[in-house]
Amino acid sequence: MANDSLLDIDSLKTSFHTEAGTVTAVDGVSLKIAAGEIVGIVGESGCGKSVTAQSILRLLDEKSLTSYAGEVKFDGVDLLKLSQRQMRSVRGNDISMIFQDPLSSLNPLLTIGEQITETIRTHRKTSRKAALLEAVGLLQLTGIPSPERRVHEYPHQLSGGMRQRVMIAIALACEPKLLIADEPTTALDVTIQAQIMDLLVKLNKELGMSVLLITHDLGVVAEVCHKVAVMYAGQIVETADVATLFSNPQHPYTAGLLHSIPHIDRDRSKPLEAVRGFVPALHQLPKGCRFAPRCQLADERCKTDLPGLEPKPGITTLARCWHSEALVRKEA
């Protein structure tokens, strides 16, 4: 796997300007993705995962509601400095994105083939007939049966899993270097979820395509990702390779998420462990560590001083915690 970063996010801040004032939904996020790498972002709802993904492609309203700071370098080019016209050539061509709900993302008035060929012809000079043949090939690549027939059908004629495969086909139409998958299996049943994730891993290996996977499911992360970043209240609180993070978490929030996973051999007479409390509202963030109100290790320093995302001795982990050593002793 290449060491050079395909995507290099440095101190990204995304702020929304509201009637109640400016709210920073993504606060100083730094993340690197190498070519051919699958990186997961996990965390509770409202922690900033999806806003981070949308900020990479600048999908938010920049005219009046949203502002960015920091750097988002893709192949060495800072996307935050590009014009909207230049960004339109990046979206769908170099970087593609698939969303949680394919039914709301697909146009109900256009056939599947029309929606795939639109993406192809937006970025490349090709005939409608040639683009339609490519669309059939993409449907076949994503595992949709009878692609020659399905290409002429409408979204409502397909199952949820097939619609998500169509979204992946659209995302792959211009052979992007990076695919951002935002909760791609949320609305699907367990069997179809596994099929979609297997498909993403297959495409990653066969096409060398990098993937940024946003998910709540730590089981999926353990199965498919190379690295993982844990987000909390707009910040990354821990990042590591998957094996290290699951075996040796360095942040109490990460440890809490891991403990909340059901295990087949657990004592069913006892309730599942949960991370107590709630993610703070973005306009009411604690002064120090943002996890301190929910953390059993928190002391006065945690309540007043915000820790940085620092490397931990002896392992390839960055963690935003004053008490990682105490956590390791507790886990042992």
Side-chain angles (χ1 to χ4, degrees), residues 81-192:
K81 293 181 178 178
L82 298 184
S83 66
Q84 280 296 335
R85 182 176 181 181
Q86 290 171 315
M87 278 304 302
R88 282 194 291 271
S89 70
V90 172
R91 299 182 190 117
N93 191 30
D94 297 315
I95 306 175
S96 289
M97 187 168 179
I98 55 177
F99 299 90
Q100 295 184 34
D101 183 7
L103 190 58
S104 63
S105 301
L106 294 169
N107 190 329
L109 302 179
L110 297 178
T111 65
I112 298 306
E114 289 173 315
Q115 297 185 61
I116 300 175
T117 57
E118 180 183 24
T119 301
I120 296 170
R121 300 189 73 202
T122 296
H123 295 285
R124 295 207 311 265
K125 291 183 179 180
T126 185
S127 68
R128 190 179 299 276
K129 182 177 180 180
L132 191 62
L133 285 175
E134 283 192 55
V136 172
L138 286 165
L139 293 180
Q140 187 171 22
L141 178 66
T142 56
I144 291 183
S146 306
E148 299 86 356
R149 174 168 59 87
R150 297 293 185 183
V151 78
H152 298 293
E153 294 184 342
Y154 291 86
H156 73 271
Q157 295 176 278
L158 306 181
S159 67
M162 291 177 71
R163 286 195 290 264
Q164 193 60 285
R165 290 173 188 267
V166 169
M167 289 300 301
I168 295 173
I170 293 173
L172 297 177
C174 294
E175 300 180 0
K177 296 178 181 178
L178 173 64
L179 175 65
I180 302 174
D182 186 2
E183 300 278 6
T185 60
T186 297
L188 307 176
D189 63 51
V190 175
T191 303
I192 304 301

Side-chain angles (χ1 to χ4, degrees), residues 201-239:
V201 172
K202 175 186 175 185
L203 295 172
N204 163 256
K205 292 178 179 178
E206 292 183 356
L207 305 179
M209 176 184 65
S210 300
V211 179
L212 177 60
L213 175 65
I214 296 168
T215 181
H216 288 91
D217 194 331
L218 285 164
V220 168
V221 169
E223 191 77 20
V224 307
C225 293
H226 303 114
K227 293 192 309 189
V228 58
V230 181
M231 283 196 73
Y232 184 79
Q235 297 181 327
I236 289 180
V237 296
E238 184 168 358
T239 180

